[in-house]
Amino acid sequence: MNMNLTVRYMIELAMTVPAAVIAIMLVYYSRKVKKPFLFGLLAIMLTAVIVGGGILCAMTGITSNAFVFPAMIAFFIAYNFCFALSVPKKLFCFANATLLCGFSTTYATFLTAPMELDNPDHVYTVSSGLICLGIAVVFGAIFARTLLVKFPDLFETDSLESAWKVLDIAPIVTTASVVWMNPVSAENVMTGRLRMICLVVLPSIPAVAWFLYHIFWWLAKKMTETTKLQHGYDLLQMEEKQYRRTRRYLQETSEIRHDFRQHIVYISELLEQGQIEKAKKYLSPIMETVNRTHRIICTNQAIDAIANHYDDIARSRNVVVSWSFDLTDKLPIDEADMCAVMGNLVENAIQAAEQLEGDNRLVNVRIGLLPPKTLVISIYNAYKGRLILDKNGLPVTEKKKHGIGLRSVRNIVERYGGTMEIETHNGIFNVSILMYAPD
């Protein structure tokens, strides 16, 4: 076995290391396996590719690309297993890593062409391989902040959930184009001004990608802000509705008190005349007004408005909501976020309960505070049919756009450093949430 040739192949295959780092940067905090398992598996696979692939390529004379492309399938299977994002998101992250490293290889081919003119093998010399590896490291460092800071925000934007199926096409197609542009031999590169032109033009590929990623992040941030403003507007509408209801109640009770003496006198006259049925008929609208009392569900004004809004919806669907609150005037989280969390959960629970019959059409809502500033939410209800939770702990459904609300809730909960657990047992669906006040 030619040791020099093996080392050169191993250096070339070492490009999988920065590719793996770039791919993991994007999804590191979405891992669903423990760190020792993740890095242990990564070390085994990279060692197998670099060492085993280097030996195999040196012995058979195949190119490193011919070995890497099949190995990428195994890498993606492991990648898909280790992280909890949707497949389109993971495919985008994986393709982004291959794009940066594919660009580095192509650029290094043009850059080191004069050094490779006398190279008879289909593999870089040691110096060219190290230069290629260095270019990948440099571009990985340039993209590091974008990958670590910007993309987590993109992944949390629920309105983009369906768009990832289209967005992941761009890095895949670009990667294929970059690999196709990679020259077959150094002699082709040195033809005319081709090399100089490509050295100047090729960096535009990662530059455009970097620019588009930031534009994409800015648009996603604006969409998130718009969604939050919409939640705030919804809350204001609920509070206005509750205010009008309170005013109407005060006006009605004031009129009843004002006319109370006249009502008593007239009813007494009817009873003295033995006109009991007429007295009952006269009392009926009065009792209806009295019974239509103003209901204060929670002392917190914002929560009371949300609760009354969904309580009205539940009553219109013949669903009973049992409310229990232990809150103060000041919430540990933003009111608009609370509106989004509570609204999504209660609305889902009401929709599930209305599919049932009898006493099962019940939703239980429990919200309270734990010292020092921890918000606790527990909502449970019965449901009809069979419910399966996916690997992310969210219900699996075939209904279009169904489940987006729960993903939105989970994103808000995680933003406050909290946890959300969903349990299904004996036909009961239970959501338990902990959220903590920001520092």
Side-chain angles (χ1 to χ4, degrees):
M1 182 176 66
N2 189 330
M3 184 57 65
N4 178 266
L5 191 62
T6 301
V7 170
R8 287 162 59 188
Y9 271 111
M10 289 172 61
I11 294 174
E12 197 166 281
L13 290 169
M15 285 289 291
T16 53
V17 175
V21 173
I22 292 169
I24 291 176
M25 273 185 190
L26 288 154
V27 297
Y28 180 71
Y29 294 107
S30 299
R31 64 185 183 277
K32 58 181 180 179
V33 297
K34 294 182 179 180
K35 286 190 289 185
F37 178 87
L38 173 64
F39 291 113
L41 177 63
L42 184 62
I44 292 171
M45 295 188 70
L46 289 176
T47 301
V49 169
I50 296 171
V51 178
I55 294 173
L56 179 63
C57 290
M59 293 177 62
T60 61
I62 63 173
T63 64
S64 58
N65 283 343
F67 177 79
V68 167
F69 288 145
M72 286 173 60
I73 299 175
F75 272 115
F76 185 75
I77 292 173
Y79 191 72
N80 185 53
F81 172 77
C82 292
F83 300 98
L85 294 173
S86 63
V87 173
K89 290 179 181 177
K90 285 183 281 194
L91 188 58
F92 181 93
C93 299
F94 194 84
N96 177 73
T98 59
L99 167 60
L100 291 178
C101 289
F103 162 79
S104 300
T105 301
T106 300
Y107 194 76
T109 300
F110 284 96
L111 185 65
T112 62
M115 303 164 56
E116 297 290 314
L117 289 174
D118 297 327
N119 182 9
D121 304 309
H122 297 292
V123 61
Y124 284 136
T125 60
V126 172
S127 56
S128 296
L130 292 175
I131 289 173
C132 180
L133 196 59
I135 292 173
V137 172
V138 169
F139 276 96
I142 292 173
F143 274 78
R145 186 176 183 277
T146 301
L147 302 179
L148 289 171
V149 178
K150 308 295 184 182
F151 270 82
D153 292 340
L154 292 176
F155 294 152
E156 292 178 1
T157 305
D158 295 300
S159 52
L160 294 175
E161 192 64 32
S162 58
W164 288 104
K165 296 177 182 178
V166 178
L167 294 172
D168 56 17
I169 296 175
I172 294 174
V173 172
T174 307
T175 301
S177 301
V178 168
V179 172
W180 177 76
M181 290 168 59
N182 197 11
V184 176
S185 64
E187 289 83 358
N188 295 337
V189 176
M190 301 304 294
T191 302
R193 301 171 61 188
L194 176 64
R195 176 172 174 266
M196 294 305 299
I197 292 173
C198 289
L199 288 176
V200 173
V201 173
L202 280 178
S204 64
I205 295 175
V208 170
W210 185 89
F211 179 75
L212 290 177
Y213 289 167
H214 281 76
I215 292 295
F216 189 33
W217 169 80
W218 181 82
L219 291 173
K221 186 176 180 181
K222 292 301 178 183
M223 293 171 67
T224 302
E225 291 174 357
T226 301
T227 301
K228 189 170 183 178
L229 287 174
Q230 181 61 48
H231 291 321
Y233 176 71
D234 292 341
L235 179 58
L236 287 175
Q237 283 191 315
M238 293 177 194
E239 290 180 336
E240 182 184 2
K241 180 180 177 181
Q242 186 69 358
Y243 171 72
R244 290 198 303 267
R245 180 185 299 171
T246 303
R247 286 197 61 184
R248 185 170 63 249
Y249 165 76
L250 292 175
Q251 183 178 357
E252 290 174 350
T253 53
S254 176
E255 292 173 355
I256 292 173
R257 287 195 302 271
H258 181 268
D259 297 335
F260 186 72
R261 185 170 178 272
Q262 286 77 8
H263 290 315
I264 292 297
V265 170
Y266 182 65
I267 293 170
S268 297
E269 290 179 359
L270 291 176
L271 292 175
E272 287 177 1
Q273 297 172 9
Q275 300 185 36
I276 297 177
E277 291 301 322
K278 192 173 182 179
K280 289 181 179 180
K281 187 176 180 181
Y282 182 81
L283 273 171
S284 179
I286 299 175
M287 292 302 298
E288 183 179 343
T289 302
V290 171
N291 290 332
R292 196 166 59 242
T293 57
H294 171 70
R295 186 183 182 194
I296 298 177
I297 300 178
C298 179
T299 56
N300 182 282
Q301 183 178 352
I303 301 299
D304 186 58
I306 300 171
N308 269 283
H309 174 77
Y310 286 101
D311 196 68
D312 287 345
I313 293 175
R315 289 173 184 270
S316 69
R317 302 180 184 180
N318 296 319
V319 175
V320 177
V321 182
S322 173
W323 305 95
S324 177
F325 294 101
D326 182 14
L327 297 170
T328 60
D329 291 337
K330 181 68 175 176
L331 294 176
I333 70 172
D334 184 80
E335 289 183 350
D337 288 334
M338 185 63 189
C339 175
V341 170
M342 189 173 164
N344 277 312
L345 295 180
V346 175
E347 186 173 13
N348 287 347
I350 293 172
Q351 289 176 355
E354 69 175 326
Q355 304 299 320
L356 304 172
E357 298 178 356
D359 295 338
N360 289 328
R361 299 170 69 90
L362 175 66
V363 176
N364 288 275
V365 179
R366 303 287 181 267
I367 302 178
L369 289 175
L370 292 177
K373 292 182 179 180
T374 303
L375 184 68
V376 182
I377 301 175
S378 176
I379 299 177
Y380 59 94
N381 59 275
Y383 64 90
K384 184 179 181 180
R386 186 167 175 260
L387 193 60
I388 301 174
L389 301 182
D390 63 16
K391 57 188 177 183
N392 300 320
L394 298 178
V396 176
T397 177
E398 295 180 355
K399 293 182 180 179
K400 189 177 181 181
K401 293 186 178 180
H402 191 74
I404 293 178
L406 286 175
R407 286 198 296 271
S408 175
V409 169
R410 185 183 61 184
N411 289 338
I412 293 173
V413 170
E414 290 177 351
R415 198 161 66 240
Y416 286 92
T419 58
M420 181 177 84
E421 293 185 3
I422 297 177
E423 297 177 341
T424 57
H425 183 67
N426 292 333
I428 300 296
F429 184 88
N430 182 42
V431 182
S432 300
I433 289 175
L434 290 177
M435 281 192 286
Y436 307 99
D439 295 332

